[in-house]
Amino acid sequence: MHDIRAIRENPAAFDAALARRGISASSSEILDIDGKRRAAIQAAEAAQAEANNAAKEVGAAKGRGDEAEFERLRALVAEKKSEIANLGDKAKELDEKLNTILMSIPNLPYADVPDGEDEDDNVEIHRDGNPRNFDFDPVEHYEIPAVQDGMDFETAAKLSGSRFVLLSGAIARLHRALAQFMIDTHVEENDLAETITPVLVREEMMYGTGQLPKFGEDSYQTTNGWWLIPTAEVTLTNIVNGMTVEESYLPRRYVAHTLCFRSEAGSAGRDTSGMLRQHQFEKVEMVTVCHPDQSEAEHQRMTKCAEGILERLELPYRTVVLCTGDMGAGARRTHDIEVWLPGQNTYREISSVSTCGDYQARRMNARFKPSEGGKPEFLHTLNGSGLAVGRTLIAVLENGQQSNGSVELPEALHPYLRGKTRITADGHLC
């Protein structure tokens, strides 16, 4: 959601920011609707004033026996009431039209976000760890002998269709251990508040974080109107939906481990092998709600939190700033963290950490009261994966694979596996 006052004050800057995203100018249409809406409101207020004055004079005309004036004034009051109702309906219609447009326009990128069209124009800002030198040709996760009995795509397809997986045995346990490790690290070391949230939400919550109205096809809706969350960003961010909090309440840093659901409607043909792109998956999500002055530091902090998980797991990664053409609609700046997958011989995205400014807060009407007084202001919100559990599982398996078909597991996970350190080629933890 955008600030209409900012668009009025500098429409050229608004259009220039949209142009960086490859979106045509919108300020002219927005301001035309806004102008008509404001004119209708002003006309209704003027008509109300006339009606009020006429109503005051009706009694006086009746008292002095001026029947003609009495009838004229009474008719004028009735006429103004009808006019006020019509103008109110017109203003409401224009207001809804304006909000629909503003709700559909993506966030404006920060000035330091690199311009570009797609992932080829993203800019690397950090790299950690060196990809391992294998003395054999590494394979993708689902081809590793240790994995094959515990990662069943055929049975999952029988149960649910394509892009689902059935995990069992050592692989299921490793997946669970990864999620537990992530949550514990974020709670005990990164000072995030562990939160358990619903995975079904009301439609207004999806509007609040920006999945609706434009991206509904990428999510699932139940027959009674609930939506399945594509990420816990939706539930965690909407905790402050409709609230005005004290400044002392901020910052609020949340983390949740949830199931996530995505229809992947716009991703046909992409990454369909293995677990890379699933309709149902698990993710550990971080969300921060903060004072505007804190959001830059929080973006860096959250990025470090996500990077730290990969470092503890001894997984090589790089961090990039997404260009304007590759950035999500709700973000003002996004850091993508990409983990090294030797089976594909490339880095693949495992976390996106985004700062949204007040874009989501305006949609949610989420504000704070400044401690020094003054009018309530909109909060800033940030979100990021800390991490996608399935993709982390892939990375651990591929980077730990051995020539004999077994998988060596990172030391950080050993306590979560009761001292087990590897998965044998026949799929057993030992």
Side-chain angles (χ1 to χ4, degrees):
M1 191 75 171
H2 295 279
D3 183 358
I4 186 63
R5 290 174 297 180
I7 301 173
R8 289 182 202 137
E9 291 169 5
N10 200 337
F14 180 76
D15 288 339
L18 290 183
R20 295 183 63 207
R21 279 187 173 268
I23 298 173
S24 58
S26 300
S27 65
S28 179
E29 178 186 10
I30 290 169
L31 294 179
D32 178 63
I33 296 170
D34 180 52
K36 291 175 180 176
R37 179 185 67 91
R38 296 170 75 190
I41 292 171
Q42 291 171 357
E45 290 173 349
Q48 184 66 62
E50 290 184 54
N52 291 342
N53 289 334
K56 291 177 183 178
E57 295 175 8
V58 166
K62 184 72 171 176
R64 63 176 180 267
D66 191 341
E67 195 65 27
E69 181 65 2
F70 171 77
E71 292 297 335
R72 185 188 73 79
L73 290 170
R74 192 170 66 167
L76 178 61
V77 170
E79 177 188 334
K80 290 302 174 183
K81 284 184 177 180
S82 176
E83 183 181 348
I84 292 164
N86 290 335
L87 287 167
D89 289 343
K90 182 178 180 181
K92 182 179 178 181
E93 180 183 339
L94 289 166
D95 190 57
E96 290 174 352
K97 186 176 181 180
L98 179 63
N99 281 334
T100 298
I101 293 174
L102 292 176
M103 280 277 199
S104 300
I105 296 174
N107 208 344
L108 305 182
Y110 281 128
D112 61 2
V113 173
D115 290 328
E117 297 182 3
D118 53 36
E119 61 185 17
D120 293 333
D121 297 315
N122 297 337
V123 177
E124 183 177 318
I125 57 173
H126 178 63
R127 187 178 290 238
D128 186 90
N130 296 312
R132 174 182 154 202
N133 290 319
F134 289 83
D135 57 5
F136 62 96
D137 290 332
V139 297
E140 293 197 58
H141 56 288
Y142 54 89
E143 299 172 309
I144 301 170
V147 176
Q148 289 176 352
D149 285 345
M151 193 175 286
D152 187 347
F153 296 98
E154 290 184 6
T155 301
K158 178 184 72 174
L159 296 171
S160 305
S162 62
R163 296 200 187 185
F164 291 91
V165 66
L166 184 71
L167 302 181
S168 62
I171 304 305
R173 188 170 176 185
L174 177 58
H175 187 274
R176 174 165 55 89
L178 280 165
Q180 186 68 55
F181 162 70
M182 293 176 193
I183 286 289
D184 284 353
T185 301
H186 289 313
V187 171
E188 295 171 7
E189 299 180 17
N190 297 331
D191 198 29
L192 308 187
E194 183 174 2
T195 312
I196 297 175
T197 81
V199 296
L200 289 166
V201 294
R202 296 175 174 176
E203 188 163 278
E204 54 263 38
M205 301 300 112
M206 296 283 279
Y207 274 95
T209 44
Q211 282 74 26
L212 295 177
K214 200 169 184 180
F215 304 104
E217 66 174 7
D218 294 329
S219 296
Y220 293 105
Q221 186 177 26
T222 65
T223 54
N224 62 355
W226 281 327
W227 288 80
L228 288 163
I229 61 169
T231 163
E233 171 198 348
V234 176
T235 43
L236 293 174
T237 309
N238 275 291
I239 287 173
V240 293
N241 190 311
M243 292 175 61
T244 299
V245 302
E246 300 293 335
E247 185 176 334
S248 58
Y249 177 89
L250 306 172
R252 268 338 214 218
R253 303 181 180 116
Y254 304 104
V255 64
H257 168 220
T258 66
L259 284 167
C260 304
F261 304 88
R262 293 184 187 174
S263 70
E264 300 287 4
S267 305
R270 293 183 59 196
D271 305 326
T272 54
S273 298
M275 281 185 64
L276 269 171
R277 196 178 289 272
Q278 300 275 285
H279 291 310
Q280 173 187 310
F281 55 97
E282 293 181 33
K283 190 144 73 89
V284 171
E285 184 75 5
M286 306 177 292
V287 161
T288 293
V289 177
C290 66
H291 188 287
D293 293 345
Q294 300 167 331
S295 62
E296 281 299 299
E298 287 296 320
H299 194 203
Q300 299 302 319
R301 184 186 195 277
M302 291 177 71
T303 301
K304 291 296 183 185
C305 289
E307 292 173 341
I309 298 293
L310 293 172
E311 291 167 13
R312 290 279 302 277
L313 293 173
E314 305 167 54
L315 297 172
Y317 70 88
R318 67 175 196 152
T319 303
V320 301
V321 180
L322 297 192
C323 71
T324 52
D326 198 32
M327 196 165 59
R332 297 207 68 181
R333 185 196 305 109
T334 296
H335 292 159
D336 259 16
I337 303 170
E338 301 175 348
V339 68
W340 176 255
L341 297 184
Q344 292 191 13
N345 194 38
T346 191
Y347 288 95
R348 298 303 300 264
E349 182 254 317
I350 197 168
S351 173
S352 286
V353 184
S354 298
T355 177
C356 302
D358 63 4
Y359 182 81
Q360 292 177 326
R362 288 182 179 278
R363 301 170 79 94
M364 298 185 299
N365 193 26
R367 305 168 187 254
F368 71 95
K369 298 177 184 176
S371 57
E372 297 179 355
K375 293 182 179 179
E377 300 176 23
F378 286 107
L379 301 159
H380 276 203
T381 62
L382 304 92
N383 63 80
S385 312
L387 305 161
V389 182
R391 290 199 172 193
T392 308
L393 175 68
I394 292 170
V396 166
L397 294 170
E398 290 196 11
N399 283 277
Q401 63 183 295
Q402 305 298 311
S403 59
N404 64 0
S406 66
V407 175
E408 294 292 330
L409 301 173
E411 185 177 348
L413 296 179
H414 296 175
Y416 294 89
L417 300 168
R418 296 196 175 184
K420 304 294 194 298
T421 63
R422 65 189 178 95
I423 305 174
T424 63
D426 58 358
H428 293 94
L429 275 168
C430 67

